[in-house]
Amino acid sequence: MFQKVAIIGGGAAAATLVSELLERRTPKPLHLDWYAGRPDAGRGVAYGTPSERHLLNVRAASMGMFVSKPGGFLEYAQSLDPHVKGSDFLPRKLYGDFLRSRVEQAIGNAHTFKHHINVVPFTADSLVPSKEGITIGYGDESAHADAAVLAIGSLPPRPLPGVQDAAMASGRYVTDPWPYLASASEDDRPLRVLVIGLGLTAVDVLLELSAKWPNARFTALSRHGKLPEPHLDSPSVPGDDGSDLIEALRDDPNARNWSKRLRKAMGLGRYAHGANSDEERAVDWRTVIDGMRPHTQSLWADLPVAERARFLRHARWAWERARHRMPPQVTDAVIKLEKADRLKRLRGRMRSVSLSPDGELAVLRALPGGNEITETYDIVVQTVGLNTDTLRTKHPLVRQLIVDNLVLPDSLGLGLKAQRDGHLLDHDGKPRANLFAIGSLLRGALWESTAIPEIRRQAQSVANMLVSNKPEKATK
Ligand SMILES: Cc1cc2nc3c(=O)[nH]c(=O)nc-3n(C[C@H](O)[C@H](O)[C@H](O)COP(=O)(O)OP(=O)(O)OC[C@H]3O[C@@H](n4cnc5c(N)ncnc54)[C@H](O)[C@@H]3O)c2cc1C
């Protein structure tokens, strides 16, 4: 087993792994250094929002922190409010409180099994493997560990191509919406706001800013101009166990087959928004997507790299729309904004953003037919999905690992090359015995690797490997 372990990251993934490890009796006591970046870590990006408008997109019953206790969050929420139901979509802030309370409890009880934990309120900036293990650099200091786990979430967003320096410098072009939303104050000016992208983060931005800025008008621009699909009020009953579909996808692993089979199984187009009758629910397409979830990682593993690339080019947006859905309350709020004429959705692509002489942002965009048009906005917020492009990132630790040739970037920009169990690969493509990742960095290996149900499984499996007494076969 690895006795001294460095866990790097300040979000839900790191908090889950820390708690998994501290709550185990191990052959020898553990010494954990948690490089958390702050003293009260654990909420991370998703659950650090202070806004009650930002809801979980997974029902409360499925958001437990541990594989052994999937209903843990529901119990916590019901201890505060007995009216909460398992099918509810609760505020992410509450989930952050839950994560904090669980990790604090695990840290408080660490002595039960003689474990020791040191919460380092700094980010880890470098990792250097050595014969003895790994040296972690942070601030002006360094420390030693036998093994390290990267749980750093997705990478800081980068501005889209075409955004000019002056537009960035104006402070009106926002690449990272979360700190912006947290600090945005009430404003009653008639602001014109453009949101680029139309996923769940765009929806969070629209709900928050439309409440804080009651006279603002919003335009949302994306390739297809479509909102994420909505969840139904209550979970649907699957029509069958989905095994025929899974088998058909496995038999012919290519993106075209995936698209064809999925469209057919989902009866695509039949249920646009709000299919709520019993009849519709019995064959609800959502059950097809949700039913794939236990198999998605192994199906992805079967797809050759060229087919993965094709899937990302042609089907990613449709997958994300169907897979990451809006809670019903959120759907209602967005529809209300549209009906009040405060939100307009556009199809097209942003070509460039520049600063106009009078200090506004001039956005040039391509129209679906090929023409271009320029419009001006007061604020532009970029929400184009998770950044996992490790080759182009400025994230200090990831850069150092790549520049020093210690790990390999995924060739499709989906994190780092890794085994499916989380071992990162060295420059020869061999698994490193004592360097692991969980969460978004494993998207290339697993595709489905960002939400709590996947993260808690990864945390459990990496914890098992860390404390296992079996000799590690992977290379150092
Ligand atoms: C807006 C949003 C809503 C979501 N809603 C849901 C949901 O409802 N249900 C669900 O299951 N999933 C949801 N997700 C998916 C979500 O990503 C995961 O549930 C989970 O929060 C991921 O946690 P993480 O720890 O991997 O990443 P993060 O939350 O990104 O946390 C990683 C943290 O590590 C820090 N860090 C980075 N580098 C270093 C370093 N070198 N040293 C120390 N710290 C570092 C980062 O600053 C960050 O705070 C949502 C995601 C987003 C973005």
Side-chain angles (χ1 to χ4, degrees):
M1 74 173 268
F2 297 107
Q3 213 176 344
K4 190 154 195 260
V5 180
I7 295 166
I8 298 166
T16 303
L17 179 60
V18 164
S19 308
E20 265 282 346
L21 287 166
L22 291 181
E23 292 187 353
R24 286 172 183 223
R25 186 187 295 283
T26 52
K28 290 181 231 159
L30 290 163
H31 181 119
L32 305 184
D33 284 333
W34 181 11
Y35 296 87
R38 49 192 293 167
D40 61 343
R43 295 174 190 271
V45 176
Y47 314 116
T49 172
S51 172
E52 295 284 338
R53 289 180 201 97
H54 294 154
L55 302 185
L56 294 168
N57 55 50
V58 175
R59 296 181 198 272
S62 306
M63 285 294 287
M65 196 172 172
F66 303 112
V67 175
S68 57
K69 217 176 167 202
F73 173 57
L74 180 59
E75 266 176 38
Y76 172 85
Q78 286 177 333
S79 73
L80 301 173
D81 175 358
H83 297 107
V84 165
K85 298 192 293 298
S87 57
D88 288 348
F89 296 94
L90 299 176
R92 296 209 297 271
K93 179 176 174 299
L94 180 70
Y95 193 72
D97 296 344
F98 164 70
L99 289 172
R100 277 297 303 158
S101 83
R102 286 300 166 265
V103 77
E104 271 173 19
Q105 196 178 334
I107 291 173
N109 293 337
H111 58 87
T112 311
F113 300 122
K114 300 198 166 50
H115 299 317
H116 177 79
I117 174 152
N118 176 26
V119 182
V120 185
F122 296 104
T123 56
D125 300 325
S126 65
L127 287 185
V128 181
S130 62
K131 273 198 192 122
E132 293 75 42
I134 295 185
T135 302
I136 297 100
Y138 63 100
D140 296 331
E141 316 241 349
S142 65
H144 166 267
D146 302 323
V149 184
L150 302 187
I152 59 172
S154 57
L155 301 167
R158 292 181 305 132
L160 289 167
V163 182
Q164 294 176 1
D165 291 347
M168 287 298 298
S170 71
R172 289 170 178 263
Y173 189 90
V174 179
T175 46
D176 191 348
W178 300 111
Y180 185 78
L181 291 189
S183 65
S185 45
E186 311 275 321
D187 193 330
D188 58 7
R189 286 176 297 165
L191 296 167
R192 293 156 305 160
V193 183
L194 174 69
V195 177
I196 301 179
L198 247 180
L200 290 177
T201 300
V203 171
D204 281 344
V205 168
L206 292 168
L207 296 194
E208 190 66 12
L209 291 184
S210 61
K212 283 185 172 170
W213 300 348
N215 296 317
R217 282 178 190 276
F218 297 84
T219 304
L221 173 68
S222 78
R223 187 146 55 125
H224 297 274
K226 289 185 177 168
L227 286 164
E229 291 283 359
H231 278 287
L232 298 185
D233 289 336
S234 48
S236 313
V237 180
D240 59 37
D241 68 359
S243 54
D244 288 351
L245 171 66
I246 303 301
E247 224 168 280
L249 297 178
R250 224 182 271 297
D251 281 351
D252 190 9
N254 67 74
R256 192 181 294 248
N257 184 41
W258 272 42
S259 287
K260 192 178 83 188
R261 300 276 177 186
L262 280 170
R263 288 175 75 85
K264 189 164 168 234
M266 290 164 67
L268 208 78
R270 284 167 67 200
Y271 312 114
H273 282 272
N276 261 320
S277 78
D278 286 347
E279 192 193 338
E280 282 168 327
R281 238 183 263 162
V283 289
D284 178 21
W285 59 263
R286 294 164 187 81
T287 63
V288 175
I289 292 284
D290 297 348
M292 273 186 72
R293 198 150 171 190
H295 310 280
T296 311
Q297 295 181 344
S298 64
L299 288 168
W300 179 256
D302 291 346
L303 272 189
V305 173
E307 291 302 324
R308 292 182 188 182
R310 192 164 291 146
F311 171 84
L312 295 176
R313 267 198 313 277
H314 301 298
R316 179 185 198 153
W317 75 273
W319 174 270
E320 306 273 17
R321 249 188 101 226
R323 170 68 190 77
H324 304 288
R325 303 191 284 269
M326 294 186 288
Q329 309 92 301
V330 171
T331 309
D332 292 347
V334 179
I335 290 173
K336 212 165 144 196
L337 266 187
E338 287 195 311
K339 285 197 173 144
D341 236 2
R342 293 189 61 202
L343 169 63
K344 184 169 70 175
R345 285 185 276 132
L346 298 177
R347 277 173 65 206
R349 272 177 186 275
M350 182 275 280
R351 291 262 184 255
S352 70
V353 181
S354 52
L355 191 64
S356 74
D358 40 7
E360 297 167 325
L361 292 180
V363 179
L364 175 70
R365 71 180 160 89
L367 300 169
N371 290 337
E372 292 183 336
I373 184 171
T374 300
E375 285 155 337
T376 51
Y377 294 92
D378 299 301
I379 304 286
V380 177
V381 186
Q382 174 183 308
T383 62
V384 289
L386 298 183
N387 176 19
T388 52
D389 188 349
T390 50
L391 197 56
R392 289 177 190 80
T393 187
K394 290 187 177 155
H395 185 282
L397 175 60
V398 174
R399 252 196 94 61
Q400 175 264 329
L401 288 170
I402 286 178
V403 169
D404 291 354
N405 215 8
L406 297 171
V407 294
L408 292 172
D410 175 78
S411 55
L412 300 175
L414 299 175
L416 294 173
K417 283 205 171 155
Q419 287 192 162
R420 282 171 58 200
D421 66 6
H423 279 100
L424 291 176
L425 303 190
D426 69 12
H427 58 282
D428 290 327
K430 295 199 186 113
R432 288 192 167 277
N434 59 353
L435 187 56
F436 304 84
I438 56 178
S440 302
L441 286 182
L442 297 184
R443 277 201 114 183
L446 301 172
W447 179 238
E448 188 84 76
S449 184
T450 51
I452 293 298
E454 280 74 30
I455 284 177
R456 69 185 172 216
R457 266 205 311 280
Q458 293 170 13
Q460 184 193 47
S461 137
V462 167
N464 289 343
M465 289 188 283
L466 288 168
V467 303
S468 159
N469 261 338
K470 277 195 233 135
E472 277 281 346
K473 291 214 177 72
T475 57
K476 294 255 177 194

